[in-house]
Amino acid sequence: MCPVAASLHPRDGVNPAVRYPGLEVAEDLAFQEISWTIQRAVFGLMALVILAALAGLLGDGPLSRTSVAGAGLRVRYERIERYRAPATLRVHLAPGATPDGLARLWLDRAWLDGVEVRRIVPEPERAEAGRDRLVYAIRVAAGQPAAVTIHYEPDRFGFREGRVGLGDGGALSLRQWVHP
């Protein structure tokens, strides 16, 4: 028997049969198997997070994009957004929604309180503050389809609901989640 292996005793917690002569290396196969199992679980979890991110569950992606339609409007937005990241809300107006060429697009205060509006394209002629909403008067081609893009940044974490509407007509509901 090797002198190194002979000097070890089973009560030391190391099996002398798996010692390598001349090397100060001991194997603990049970610990190594547990370590490999934990490694595989962590790699699997990392793969799931990467797939979720690519799919849009952590921000911009196909599962995050949505649209709602009705009341002469179609609104496209992201369900899941990041705090202080640039975002857009695209509002498409139906051809007959603005017969006089002035779209009175409104956003409710509940939604506006959680964002910082950076820019609106086309630029509104004026903004009118109401009790529970902010109305933007935007000049568009009369009787033609139009699109309004609102560039903003979310400035609060968590779940956020809001509504958008055109004039005194119906409103569409928006539901979003903002994460850090």
Side-chain angles (χ1 to χ4, degrees), residues 15 31 61 65 85 88 141 143 154 161 163:
N15 185 354
F31 174 78
R65 294 183 197 107
T88 57
E161 286 188 90
R163 295 179 328 139

Side-chain angles (χ1 to χ4, degrees), residues 5-76:
S7 69
L8 295 175
H9 195 274
R11 76 170 183 265
D12 295 333
V14 178
N15 185 354
V18 291
R19 296 285 293 185
Y20 299 101
L23 296 175
E24 295 294 321
V25 177
E27 276 188 0
D28 186 351
L29 203 50
F31 174 78
Q32 190 65 43
E33 287 178 5
I34 291 171
S35 175
W36 289 334
T37 302
I38 291 171
Q39 258 184 353
R40 283 191 296 272
V42 169
F43 286 150
L45 183 62
M46 287 176 15
L48 287 175
V49 168
I50 290 170
L51 288 174
L54 290 173
L57 294 177
L58 300 178
D60 187 30
L63 294 179
S64 176
R65 294 183 197 107
T66 190
S67 65
V68 291
L73 301 172
R74 183 170 48 96
V75 180
R76 296 174 51 93

Side-chain angles (χ1 to χ4, degrees), residues 86-170:
T88 57
L89 183 75
R90 289 183 176 82
V91 181
H92 300 273
L93 308 174
T98 56
D100 62 350
L102 187 65
R104 295 179 43 80
L105 182 70
W106 60 266
L107 298 165
D108 74 342
R109 294 257 184 216
W111 189 81
L112 285 170
D113 286 344
V115 302
E116 184 176 330
V117 175
R118 295 294 188 174
R119 185 170 47 123
I120 299 175
V121 178
E123 190 171 329
E125 289 183 358
R126 65 184 179 277
E128 303 163 2
R131 188 174 42 119
D132 61 344
R133 64 180 67 166
L134 188 60
V135 180
Y136 296 103
I138 302 169
R139 183 67 56 192
V140 295
Q144 299 295 316
V148 177
T149 304
I150 300 168
H151 300 272
Y152 65 95
E153 289 181 5
D155 61 5
R156 291 195 183 145
F157 299 115
F159 183 70
R160 182 175 71 222
E161 286 188 90
R163 295 179 328 139
V164 60
L166 188 62
D168 293 327

